[in-house]
Amino acid sequence: MDWLQSIEWMGLLKCFVIGGLLCVIGQILIDKTKLTPARILVIYVTAGAILGGLGIYQYLVEFAGAGATVPLTGFGYNLAKGAINGVKESGIIGAFTGGVAASAGGIAAAVFFGYIASLISKPKMKKE
């Protein structure tokens, strides 16, 4: 039971609330607008990249940890952060390679688990 006392409960709460809030916003956009999930995905990634490039998203990451880095906005933030670091290290070419290098693990995991999901599921067309 010592492990139970070592858990930072306030950090978990912050993570859950911020991550949940980002999900709630996405669900509201799906329910109340005519935006498709794909467009909402693009909006989230773009917002994360813009806020990351401006240095604003870093404050949310410091506050909420994984609650801010795991959702799609965190992916955009990671791309922007990688591009900025890439420019510092490699010049202008780093703007193109840095974001992909910083996000390579997440991209590889998404491709791998997407492939596994495609093998075990039977997709059907949505009825209109």
Side-chain angles (χ1 to χ4, degrees), residues 49 52-55 77-89 91 94-95 98-99:
L54 294 173
Y77 160 75
N78 198 28
L79 286 172
K81 184 178 170 187
I84 291 168
N85 290 338
V87 168
K88 290 177 183 175
E89 294 174 6

Side-chain angles (χ1 to χ4, degrees), residues 26-33 40:
Q27 190 64 50
I28 290 170
L29 289 172
I30 289 171
D31 292 344
K32 301 295 182 184
T33 69
I40 295 169

Side-chain angles (χ1 to χ4, degrees), residues 21-125:
L21 185 62
L22 289 170
C23 292
V24 165
I25 293 168
Q27 190 64 50
I28 290 170
L29 289 172
I30 289 171
D31 292 344
K32 301 295 182 184
T33 69
K34 292 186 179 193
L35 292 172
T36 63
R39 288 190 176 154
I40 295 169
L41 178 148
V42 171
I43 290 168
Y44 266 44
V45 172
T46 304
I50 291 170
L51 293 174
L54 294 173
I56 297 169
Y57 203 79
Q58 180 63 34
Y59 297 112
L60 192 59
V61 169
E62 290 170 4
F63 176 76
T69 58
V70 171
L72 289 169
T73 49
F75 179 69
Y77 160 75
N78 198 28
L79 286 172
K81 184 178 170 187
I84 291 168
N85 290 338
V87 168
K88 290 177 183 175
E89 294 174 6
S90 306
I92 193 69
I93 196 73
F96 301 103
T97 61
V100 175
S103 303
I107 294 169
V111 170
F112 175 75
F113 289 112
Y115 177 71
I116 297 298
S118 74
L119 292 176
I120 61 176
S121 65
K122 295 181 182 179
K124 298 176 184 172
M125 294 299 292

